[in-house]
Structure formats: C-alpha cells, structure tokens
Amino acid sequence: MKKNVALLLLFLCSYLFINAQEYEALLASANGGKAEAQFLIGQSYMNGDGVVKNPVEAAKWYQKAASQGLAKAQNSLGVCYFYGRGVVQNYDEALQWYKKAADQGDAGAQYNLGCCYSDGTGVQADNVEALNWFIKAASQGYASAQNNLGISYFFGKGVDRDYSQAAAWYSKAAEQGNASAQCNLAYCYANGRGVAKNLVEAARLYRMSAENGLADAQYQLGYMFSKGRGVEKDKAEAVKWYVKAAKQGHPVAKLQLQKWGIDY
C-alpha cells in the first residue's frame, strides 16, 4: 500500500511540484492554512497539473485561500462561480469575489468585473463603470483589458469616441500578442481610424492575428489576398485563409467559399 501511495505521489509531480516531497510539503502547508499553498493546490486541480482534473476540488481550495483574502484566489473563485466550474453557477457570488480581488488591485479581477458591467451579466449594464475597471486593469498591462479599453474608445462606450486612443490601446495589447487587439488594430490601419491608412500594415497585423487563430482575422486576411489589398493578389492564399475561418464557423467565409464552389 505504501509503495502505491509513493508511486501516486510521483505521478502527481508536475511543473508546480519538482518532486513528491515538495508536493507533500505543499499539501501539508495548504492543510495548515497557508493561503498561497491552498491556491496552488487549487490550480493543480483546476488545470489537471500532475493530478486528475477536478474543478470541485479546485473550487474548494480556492475558497479556502480566498476566505483568507488572497486576491488571485478570490478572482479564481469568482471565475468558478461565473462559469459554474466546480460550483453551481451564481453570478452574484462571482461578482462579489471579483470585487474583493479587484479592490486589492488584481488586474484579472478588474478586467472580469469590467466585462460584467460591459455585458450586463449579473449586474446592470454600465459602460462608465466598465470603463473604470478596464482602465485600472489596462494600466497594469493586462492585455485583454487594454483591448477592451480600445473598444470602449472606438465605439464611445462610457467615454467620448476617440479613434486615436482606441488605436493606442489596441497597439499596447497587440504588442503582447492579443489576437483580438491585433485584428482591431489592423482594421484601424485598413480604414485610417486613429492612424494613417496603411494597407500593408493592416495585412501584416491581420496575418499575426490569423496565425493566432482568430477567425475574423483569417477571413479579413483572405479578403486582402482576394482583392490584392496590402498584399499581392493571390486566390490560393485567399482560399487558404477563408477555409481556416470557415472551419471555425465564420459565416461570410463560408459564403465566399460557396460562391467559388469550393468544398472544405
């Protein structure tokens, strides 16, 4: 029996745990009430890192750490409640935990809270409040928040429309590899919104986003190739990117392939 337990502990080791002894020490620390250890155990169960993935067990450990005030655990617990991972979905609970973490400066929680206010999920939609939280997270370098802040400026959500500010925030997020921001910035360059019109730059950014798997960017890149906008006209390349977008369900890409009589 002891041999089986030892083998199990060795199996549990992952990048979080260099060896079985360290895992045992971490688990002992978590059981002893150390919030950081509790959070790490929760992460291992949520991601299946060295243990069998178990959202219920993950949420239990997040709860222990969150109750001690650990901001990242509070945010992770909020995510559990928001999506119903390991707990019964409850937007009110999610918002409460997001708020606790956000008030401590956790950028992920600030972004999540901003999304709730922007979408009106679990709370009355409020673009000004959403903007406030996006600004806090974006100022800490959180790429998704920078992209959403760009969207706020682009469409005038909670703030006066300002294409230059939109492009600036898209650029910050795009530099971090955010695919949505790369696509949004490409649109700005393709249409001269907040930046000088530059089809070559637009095509470059669409390609970056497309290679990161964003269906809208794959369609747009296909369109650029089909029309020779910012790139040499190349139907074969257009088809390649339309197919990638269509396989992700992009309706316009599907329609274009249908018009060309191309099965995918």
Side-chain angles (χ1 to χ4, degrees):
M1 180 65 179
K2 288 183 178 180
K3 181 179 180 181
N4 290 337
V5 170
L7 290 172
L8 177 61
L9 284 171
L10 285 171
F11 171 75
L12 292 177
C13 296
S14 69
Y15 72 89
L16 287 174
F17 316 119
I18 297 174
N19 54 49
Q21 289 72 30
E22 290 195 4
Y23 176 83
E24 288 182 297
L26 185 65
L27 186 59
S29 181
N31 284 324
K34 298 295 184 181
E36 183 68 29
Q38 292 168 342
F39 172 73
L40 290 175
I41 295 291
Q43 287 288 82
S44 69
Y45 277 112
M46 183 56 72
N47 299 319
D49 292 329
V51 295
V52 176
K53 189 172 183 177
N54 188 334
V56 174
E57 195 69 12
K60 182 186 80 173
W61 286 105
Y62 287 152
Q63 178 78 56
K64 291 177 183 291
S67 296
Q68 295 194 66
L70 189 67
K72 56 188 174 183
Q74 292 171 336
N75 181 51
S76 294
L77 184 58
V79 171
C80 288
Y81 276 110
F82 191 89
Y83 293 103
R85 296 174 183 166
V87 293
V88 177
Q89 187 177 53
N90 187 321
Y91 291 139
D92 288 339
E93 280 287 322
L95 262 71
Q96 287 179 38
W97 288 109
Y98 285 159
K99 184 65 163 55
K100 288 178 185 292
D103 284 343
Q104 293 194 67
D106 185 275
Q110 291 168 342
Y111 167 72
N112 289 335
L113 197 55
C115 289
C116 289
Y117 278 107
S118 179
D119 301 335
T121 304
V123 69
Q124 184 69 37
D126 186 334
N127 287 330
V128 173
E129 189 67 12
L131 181 79
N132 174 56
W133 290 109
F134 288 149
I135 289 173
K136 290 178 184 294
S139 297
Q140 295 192 64
Y142 199 80
S144 294
Q146 292 172 335
N147 179 55
N148 279 28
L149 185 54
I151 291 171
S152 296
Y153 277 111
F154 193 92
F155 292 102
K157 296 176 63 178
V159 67
D160 290 338
R161 178 175 286 179
D162 187 328
Y163 292 136
S164 294
Q165 280 292 317
W169 284 107
Y170 288 154
S171 182
K172 290 179 184 292
E175 287 171 0
Q176 296 193 63
N178 185 282
S180 294
Q182 290 165 344
C183 186
N184 290 335
L185 185 59
Y187 181 89
C188 290
Y189 276 107
N191 296 278
R193 298 290 177 85
V195 291
K197 187 172 182 177
N198 185 331
L199 293 178
V200 173
E201 182 65 5
R204 185 185 74 85
L205 287 160
Y206 277 137
R207 181 182 289 277
M208 290 176 64
S209 181
E211 289 175 347
N212 280 328
L214 192 71
D216 283 341
Q218 291 168 344
Y219 165 75
Q220 292 292 347
L221 184 58
Y223 179 81
M224 300 287 270
F225 275 112
S226 73
K227 301 296 184 182
R229 301 182 78 232
V231 292
E232 290 292 326
K233 190 173 183 179
D234 187 329
K235 186 175 180 179
E237 276 292 302
V239 169
K240 181 182 82 172
W241 290 107
Y242 281 153
V243 167
K244 289 181 182 291
K247 285 183 176 179
Q248 293 197 67
H250 196 285
V252 186
K254 288 181 177 181
L255 181 61
Q256 185 59 58
L257 290 170
Q258 183 181 355
K259 286 179 179 179
W260 284 349
I262 296 173
D263 294 325
Y264 60 92

